[in-house]
């Protein structure tokens, strides 16, 4: 994979119990020289009630501080959808990893690239040029 400039940060959005995705994505993103930002390190599973503001404001701040987002849309998850929408609204690059699940129209709308394969999704981050676009082969695999 091509190396990117040091210091780039990518927010790893995904369902709360997507440990394998996070583990694999973190390793691949580090290979690019990017810093993965995993919101689940602030783990509120089983104790979200009463902590909603901390959770959401922490996520929003981390998304704003990142250069891009890698979002796992392998299963429906409100949090991932909201995080991707926010990143899109801020003008951040959003790469959706679907694992082969057909993307929802909102995913298609907010994502700059949609990839069924995690390695290809990470490569879409790496192939971003200064204009913020990925090569046609990874923009949307459904078009092939």
């Amino acid at each position: 994979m091509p190396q990117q400039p040091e210091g780039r940060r990518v927010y790893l959005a995904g369902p709360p119990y997507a440990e394998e995705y996070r583990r694999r994505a973190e390793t691949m993103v580090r290979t690019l020289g990017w810093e993965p930002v995993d919101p689940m390190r602030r783990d509120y599973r089983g104790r979200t009630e009463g902590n909603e503001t901390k959770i959401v404001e922490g996520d929003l701040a981390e998304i704003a501080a990142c250069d891009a987002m890698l979002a796992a849309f392998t299963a429906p998850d409100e949090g991932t959808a909201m995080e991707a929408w926010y990143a899109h609204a801020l003008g951040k690059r959003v790469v959706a990893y679907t694992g082969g699940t057909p993307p929802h129209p909102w995913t298609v709308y907010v994502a700059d690239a949609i990839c069924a394969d995690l390695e290809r999704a990470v490569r879409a981050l790496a192939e971003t040029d200064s204009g913020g676009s990925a090569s046609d082969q990874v923009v949307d695999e459904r078009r092939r």
Side-chain angles (χ1 to χ4, degrees):
M1 284 186 209
Q3 293 292 319
Q4 292 288 317
E6 292 293 324
R8 300 208 45 156
R9 300 177 80 219
V10 61
Y11 185 92
L12 304 179
Y17 293 95
E19 287 92 355
E20 181 183 349
Y21 152 71
R22 284 188 170 78
R23 181 187 51 73
R24 290 180 58 220
E26 185 173 320
T27 300
M28 289 182 208
V29 165
R30 285 191 192 285
T31 300
L32 296 177
W34 288 39
E35 176 189 346
V37 176
D38 182 359
M40 290 308 295
R41 72 185 187 293
R42 297 178 288 109
D43 191 351
Y44 285 94
R45 289 179 290 191
R47 51 188 187 91
T48 57
E49 190 173 334
N51 290 305
E52 295 87 354
T53 299
K54 283 184 195 176
I55 294 166
V56 173
E57 289 180 356
D59 292 348
L60 296 176
E62 288 182 341
I63 293 165
C66 285
D67 299 292
M69 173 180 287
L70 180 61
F73 282 105
T74 54
D77 179 64
E78 298 102 336
T80 304
M82 296 299 289
E83 290 167 335
W85 174 257
Y86 184 66
H88 169 79
L90 292 177
K92 307 285 182 178
R93 179 163 177 73
V94 177
V95 175
Y97 157 59
T98 67
T101 301
H104 187 279
W106 279 86
T107 303
V108 174
Y109 184 82
V110 302
D112 296 292
I114 299 169
C115 304
D117 179 74
L118 183 55
E119 185 173 284
R120 188 172 293 257
V122 172
R123 197 164 51 240
L125 288 169
E127 292 176 355
T128 303
D129 61 28
S130 59
S133 63
S135 68
D136 289 338
Q137 71 181 21
V138 296
V139 170
D140 188 342
E141 293 179 342
R142 296 169 305 134
R143 294 184 187 152
R144 298 212 269 172

